[in-house]
């Protein structure tokens, strides 16, 4: 914090309109929560106004993790800017990669081979499972069940090992590239994913039993943080936070990408729009993701040996083996990695269903090799906006439950 | 059933000259609207039963510096039933940029407008709580503007020596 008293006073003054007049007389208490609070899932600061233990107002203060990713990407070529997307939402690296490369492909008009699309779907769904496992672990840790986090991290480790196997990285994978994938998956990939598919359902049964049959869990979640479907749509909520309120909106169904329209899966919805329904929707989504991965693995077996990256040499760098044989390939390799490819003037908006909701990328080209503007419509940012609505009138302890239930990642909020 | 063509025809009939043009690019449709009328157009799209653009997916802007008007604000709206995607775009000039807030039509725009205020310095009139959101409240400048350097020291050449010297942060006098 600054030592300048004038500045400090001005800042508090700026916030006065957000609290009730009772705060000025001392009738209610204004309290700071975070940004280092363990249950704010990162560096979220909440300024809460309390009447006893009841919340009158909640004011989220964000930006502690702002790293200027959008500005940084404007200084890199389209291909090189990809590495920044991993760092946005650190629980959805593959999904961020996917959304960004879909936007670049749309801008450049590149089509992706089928095998690459199938692998993309598998990886995006495994990432969703990994993200939901961390959500389940931290959410239950916050409210009722401590040991769940250890188990969830243990199951997630299987997925991270698969990612490390194919990309060399557990989290910052940068595995998807405009036009397809960085390289083909390893020969043991299918075997490992199938082993995981066989392993997880029994564990999910256990975790469901542990939460649904736990009276503390039920008490802390049912009827808490209620938001109606209409209000949720008004406030731009997406993902499980919206589906918990009974609106069956899923980008994978609404605006399918990467061939999602060809997979059979359901979109689970809740009824009451409370913390419990959002929890239950995510639990069901885990099973749906397993269902999608199972179908995709069957397709992958049939597509053995097919290419995993497009053959468009004006966007996709040539394979290493060709450089020694072909002068053309060498020139393309050099030009693509030093200068990049020129994008047309125009804007595209692409969205995918991230574990948290609609992740959108707005990408503008200006005829040069670098993005004119990249904007991430991140689900955490938009969903967090509705937190004050959901927490009003509840106990301060319930803030933790509601924050957990909208499943924010602060890297995603602050970008 | 509504299609994008029908939507555009309805808009042109209703707003006339305020609809400055229609762009299509890679299968996406953008309708360019004058800055004075943009909130009215959004309200019409949101509230007319037949159009039903219920959902504001994204609100962002980009900077075409040094062209004028430099800022282009893009509203990405969606009809959830069909589904239809439409981008409404409006241009805002660089001299004290202001635009009417659409929070009354789409509450979701609240934080996104704050972000544009923070990053581009576009002031949204009628916004209930227009403060910086990502940068600290005492931050100077608007980082996503094209004339805002990415970091490091800006290189001074003969043609822009004075312009850069003026905004350099070292002690003067």
């Amino acid at each position: 914090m600054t030592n300048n008293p004038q500045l400090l006073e001005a800042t508090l003054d700026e916030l006065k309109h957000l609290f009730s007049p009772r705060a000025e007389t001392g009738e209610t208490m204004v309290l700071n929560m975070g940004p280092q609070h363990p249950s704010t899932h990162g560096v979220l600061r909440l300024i809460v106004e309390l009447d006893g233990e009841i919340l009158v107002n909640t004011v989220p203060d964000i930006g502690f993790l702002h790293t200027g990713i959008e500005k940084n990407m404007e200084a890199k070529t389209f291909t090189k800017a990809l590495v920044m997307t991993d760092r946005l939402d650190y629980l959805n690296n593959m999904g961020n990669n996917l959304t960004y490369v879909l936007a670049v492909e749309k801008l450049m008009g590149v089509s992706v081979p089928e095998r690459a699309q199938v692998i993309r779907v598998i990886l995006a769904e495994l990432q969703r499972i990994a993200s939901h496992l961390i959500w389940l672990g931290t959410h239950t840790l916050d409210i009722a069940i401590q040991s769940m986090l250890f188990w969830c991290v243990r199951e997630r480790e299987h997925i991270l090992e698969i990612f490390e196997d194919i990309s060399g990285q557990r989290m910052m994978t940068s595995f998807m590239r405009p036009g397809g994938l960085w390289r083909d998956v390893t020969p043991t990939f299918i075997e490992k994913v199938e082993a995981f598919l066989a392993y997880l359902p029994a564990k999910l049964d256990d975790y469901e039993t542990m939460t649904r049959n736990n009276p503390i869990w039920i008490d802390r979640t049912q009827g808490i943080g209620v938001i109606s479907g209409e209000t949720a749509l008004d406030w731009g909520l997406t993902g499980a936070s919206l589906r918990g309120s009974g609106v069956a909106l899923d980008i994978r169904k609404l605006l399918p990408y990467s061939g999602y329209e060809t997979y059979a899966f359901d979109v689970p919805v809740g009824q009451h729009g409370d913390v419990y329904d959002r929890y239950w929707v995510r639990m069901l989504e885990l099973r749906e993701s397993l269902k999608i991965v199972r179908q995709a693995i069957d397709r992958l077996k049939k597509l053995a040996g097919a290419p995993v990256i497009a053959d468009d040499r004006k966007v996709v760098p040539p394979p290493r083996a060709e450089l020694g044989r072909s002068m053309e390939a060498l020139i393309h390799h050099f030009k693509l990695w030093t200068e990049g490819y020129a994008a047309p003037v125009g804007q595209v908006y692409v969205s995918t269903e991230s574990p948290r909701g609609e992740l959108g990328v707005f990408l503008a080209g200006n005829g040069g090799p670098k993005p004119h503007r990249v904007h991430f419509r991140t689900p955490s940012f938009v969903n967090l906006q509705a937190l004050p609505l959901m927490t009003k009138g509840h106990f301060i302890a319930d803030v933790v439950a509601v924050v957990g239930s909208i499943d924010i990642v602060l890297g995603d909020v602050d970008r | 059933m509504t299609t994008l063509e029908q939507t555009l025809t309805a808009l042109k009939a209703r707003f006339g000259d305020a609809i400055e043009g229609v762009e299509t690019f890679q299968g996406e449709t953008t309708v360019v609207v004058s800055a004075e009328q943009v909130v009215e157009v959004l309200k019409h799209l949101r509230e007319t039963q037949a159009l039903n653009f219920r959902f504001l997916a994204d609100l962002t802007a980009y900077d075409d510096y040094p062209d004028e008007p430099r800022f282009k604000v893009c509203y990405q709206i969606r009809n959830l039933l069909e589904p239809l995607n439409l981008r409404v775009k409006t241009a805002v000039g660089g001299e004290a940029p202001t635009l009417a807030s659409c929070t009354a039509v789409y509450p979701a725009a609240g934080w996104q407008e704050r972000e544009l205020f923070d990053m581009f310095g576009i002031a949204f009139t009628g916004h209930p709580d227009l403060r910086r959101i990502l940068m600290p409240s005492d931050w100077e400048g608007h980082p996503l503007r094209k004339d805002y350097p990415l970091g490091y020291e800006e290189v001074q050449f003969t043609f822009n020596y004075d312009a850069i010297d003026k905004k350099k942060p070292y002690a003067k006098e």
Side-chain angles (χ1 to χ4, degrees), chain A residues 6-255:
Chain A
Q6 265 179 336
L7 202 59
L8 205 62
E9 205 176 332
T11 315
L12 283 176
D13 212 37
E14 243 175 47
L15 297 176
K16 256 180 201 165
H17 65 283
L18 298 168
F19 301 108
S20 72
R22 291 197 295 158
E24 285 187 48
T25 60
E27 205 178 327
T28 57
M29 180 165 49
V30 176
L31 202 68
N32 184 56
M33 185 173 169
Q36 257 69 27
H37 196 284
S39 62
T40 52
H41 295 230
V43 278
L44 170 67
R45 178 185 174 211
L46 297 169
I47 308 162
V48 291
E49 185 187 350
L50 295 170
D51 183 0
E53 258 191 282
I54 305 290
L55 285 154
V56 182
N57 274 311
T58 312
V59 181
D61 181 17
I62 61 171
F64 293 93
L65 212 56
H66 178 61
T67 42
I69 280 178
E70 289 172 8
K71 181 82 174 173
N72 267 310
M73 286 174 83
E74 285 175 14
K76 299 183 191 312
T77 63
F78 284 101
T79 310
K80 289 177 185 171
L82 174 73
V83 294
M84 311 293 293
T85 63
D86 293 317
R87 281 130 181 103
L88 274 169
D89 174 352
Y90 39 78
L91 294 181
N92 183 33
N93 320 88
M94 287 288 187
N96 296 340
N97 285 172
L98 176 62
T99 322
Y100 176 71
V101 297
L102 284 173
V104 175
E105 284 155 8
K106 191 167 186 185
L107 187 69
M108 300 299 299
V110 181
S111 55
V112 183
E114 201 190 342
R115 184 174 160 88
Q117 295 208 8
V118 171
I119 297 173
R120 280 178 178 188
V121 167
I122 297 174
L123 295 176
E125 291 308 316
L126 286 178
Q127 185 76 74
R128 188 184 318 278
I129 295 169
S131 173
H132 278 8
L133 285 170
I134 287 294
W135 156 79
L136 179 65
T138 50
H139 191 30
T140 48
L141 172 72
D142 286 346
I143 309 179
I145 310 155
Q146 194 168 24
S147 39
M148 188 79 98
L149 180 66
F150 311 135
W151 299 330
C152 286
V153 170
R154 179 184 67 191
E155 320 318 358
R156 172 176 175 254
E157 199 59 28
H158 294 274
I159 297 174
L160 294 189
E161 266 167 26
I162 293 171
F163 287 175
E164 187 175 11
D165 197 34
I166 58 169
S167 74
Q169 288 283 330
R170 288 154 55 83
M171 290 173 79
M172 307 301 158
T173 51
S174 298
F175 187 64
M176 298 179 193
R177 299 287 161 92
L181 304 170
W182 172 45
R183 51 167 60 169
D184 206 345
V185 290
T186 49
T188 51
F189 176 73
I190 292 181
E191 192 184 310
K192 282 187 176 173
V193 175
E194 280 184 331
F196 180 70
L197 288 177
Y199 167 83
L200 192 65
K203 299 288 173 190
L204 287 182
D205 291 343
D206 287 353
Y207 303 154
E208 272 181 29
T209 314
M210 279 194 67
T211 41
R212 292 186 84 190
N213 295 348
N214 184 333
I216 300 175
W217 175 258
I218 304 285
D219 274 357
R220 293 295 309 273
T221 56
Q222 280 187 347
I224 305 293
V226 178
I227 189 163
S228 75
E230 285 296 301
T231 318
L233 277 175
D234 279 344
W235 285 87
L237 258 66
T238 45
S241 310
L242 176 64
R243 292 192 286 271
S245 303
V247 184
L249 190 76
D250 189 315
I251 304 292
R252 291 175 293 177
K253 291 278 190 197
L254 192 76
L255 306 162

Side-chain angles (χ1 to χ4, degrees), chain A residues 7 15 17-18 62 66 71 74-75 106-107 230 234 254 347 349 358 372-373 375 377 385 415, chain B residues 26 28 46 54 57-58 60-64 78 89 108 111 115 129 131 133 143 145-146 148:
Chain A
L7 202 59
L15 297 176
H17 65 283
L18 298 168
I62 61 171
H66 178 61
K71 181 82 174 173
E74 285 175 14
K106 191 167 186 185
L107 187 69
E230 285 296 301
D234 279 344
L254 192 76
Q347 304 89 41
Y349 177 80
E358 175 179 350
H372 184 53
R373 168 91 168 103
H375 172 73
R377 183 260 190 228
Q385 202 179 177
R415 284 156 287 144
Chain B
Q26 304 288 37
E28 293 188 16
R46 161 80 174 82
R54 175 80 179 79
D58 185 31
T60 185
Y62 61 93
D63 182 5
D64 276 341
R78 187 175 296 152
K89 185 155 85 171
W111 277 20
E115 191 191 340
D129 182 25
R131 290 177 292 126
I133 187 163
R145 288 188 174 189
K146 285 285 177 189
Y148 187 99

Side-chain angles (χ1 to χ4, degrees), chain B residues 140-152:
Chain B
E140 283 176 21
H142 301 284
L144 278 175
R145 288 188 174 189
K146 285 285 177 189
D147 52 352
Y148 187 99
L150 179 58
Y152 319 110

